[in-house]
Amino acid sequence: MQNKKLWIAFGVVAVLCLCLGVGGFLVLSQMGNKFMETVKTDPGDAAQVGARIAEYSVPAGYEHMMGMSLMGYDFVIIAPQNSTDGLIIMLAQFSEAYMQNSDPQSFQEQMQRSLEQQSGRRGMKMEVVETRTMTIRGQQVEVLILEGTDENGTSARQLITNFNTESGLGMVMIQSLGEEWDQAVVDQFLKSIR
């Protein structure tokens, strides 16, 4: 009799575990689908995400590669249309609600990781080589220029700056391999942000 009760209890626990497993899978699957709906790979859809951040002009030969809006965080990636060479431009916005318990440095680090992931260059060791002041959206902002190498010794250059948007904090990060840095395109893009 006791052996039978043990088998019944075991059966009940097994059925509960199976139900929890299936339920968990369905919930996670639904969350994954919702997340994928926020990622826009169509250039037109990504441009709409960028328009929520600021008005700007995409440099000639470049296009919106990706955009995403998720819980008070919007970002777009702009890159050359038909090439892996050139600048990668990331423009992001963090809403005021998103930023209440955070600092801009953590956002810069988050963007750095995203750019490394997008460019396939992990483990960048970047150092500030220049700091300058410029005007973006009528605001005087500090612009950092960084240089460094990835884990394979490939040189890279990066620009980072923050500015206020209508909804929070905007951030620009531009990166390329050292020899592909195009200062004219960088200046043109930064001046176009309004």
Side-chain angles (χ1 to χ4, degrees):
M1 182 70 155
Q2 196 167 0
N3 214 8
K4 186 177 182 181
K5 286 182 183 178
L6 188 60
W7 279 108
I8 291 172
F10 178 74
V12 169
V13 169
V15 169
L16 282 174
C17 287
L18 181 63
C19 289
L20 286 173
V22 169
F25 172 77
L26 292 175
V27 168
L28 289 175
S29 175
Q30 189 68 14
M31 287 175 57
N33 289 338
K34 289 290 184 196
F35 176 77
M36 290 310 293
E37 289 173 9
T38 68
V39 176
K40 311 293 184 196
T41 55
D42 174 74
D45 292 341
Q48 289 177 357
V49 173
R52 287 196 291 266
I53 300 169
E55 291 182 45
Y56 55 89
S57 299
V58 176
Y62 285 71
E63 70 178 344
H64 289 91
M65 301 301 283
M66 184 183 133
M68 186 175 90
S69 292
L70 183 65
M71 300 183 306
Y73 172 64
D74 301 310
F75 85 94
V76 292
I77 294 176
I78 301 167
Q81 288 174 331
N82 299 315
S83 173
T84 57
D85 298 338
L87 302 168
I88 297 175
I89 302 169
M90 181 182 274
L91 183 64
Q93 173 178 251
F94 307 93
S95 71
E96 290 178 19
Y98 186 89
M99 293 182 49
Q100 285 187 351
N101 295 321
S102 302
D103 69 300
Q105 180 65 32
S106 67
F107 297 130
Q108 285 183 1
E109 290 168 2
Q110 184 177 351
M111 284 183 68
Q112 173 75 34
R113 285 189 299 274
S114 294
L115 257 180
E116 286 178 6
Q117 209 171 23
Q118 182 72 14
S119 66
R121 291 175 178 78
R122 299 190 192 275
M124 286 274 186
K125 305 252 188 298
M126 305 296 282
E127 293 183 19
V128 175
V129 295
E130 182 182 345
T131 302
R132 59 174 99 140
T133 302
M134 69 178 305
T135 303
I136 296 180
R137 292 180 51 109
Q139 306 158 37
Q140 291 291 316
V141 297
E142 181 179 79
V143 178
L144 301 178
I145 308 294
L146 300 95
E147 291 181 352
T149 58
D150 67 11
E151 56 195 18
N152 298 320
T154 305
S155 68
R157 188 170 172 95
Q158 190 175 80
L159 174 144
I160 302 172
T161 191
N162 302 327
F163 59 93
N164 293 322
T165 67
E166 292 178 18
S167 303
L169 176 69
M171 194 174 284
V172 177
M173 184 178 285
I174 302 174
Q175 179 175 308
S176 78
L177 294 178
E179 66 272 5
E180 295 172 3
W181 187 261
D182 188 335
Q183 191 63 47
V185 171
V186 170
D187 291 341
Q188 174 193 358
F189 180 76
L190 293 174
K191 288 177 185 171
S192 80
I193 299 172
R194 50 201 181 282

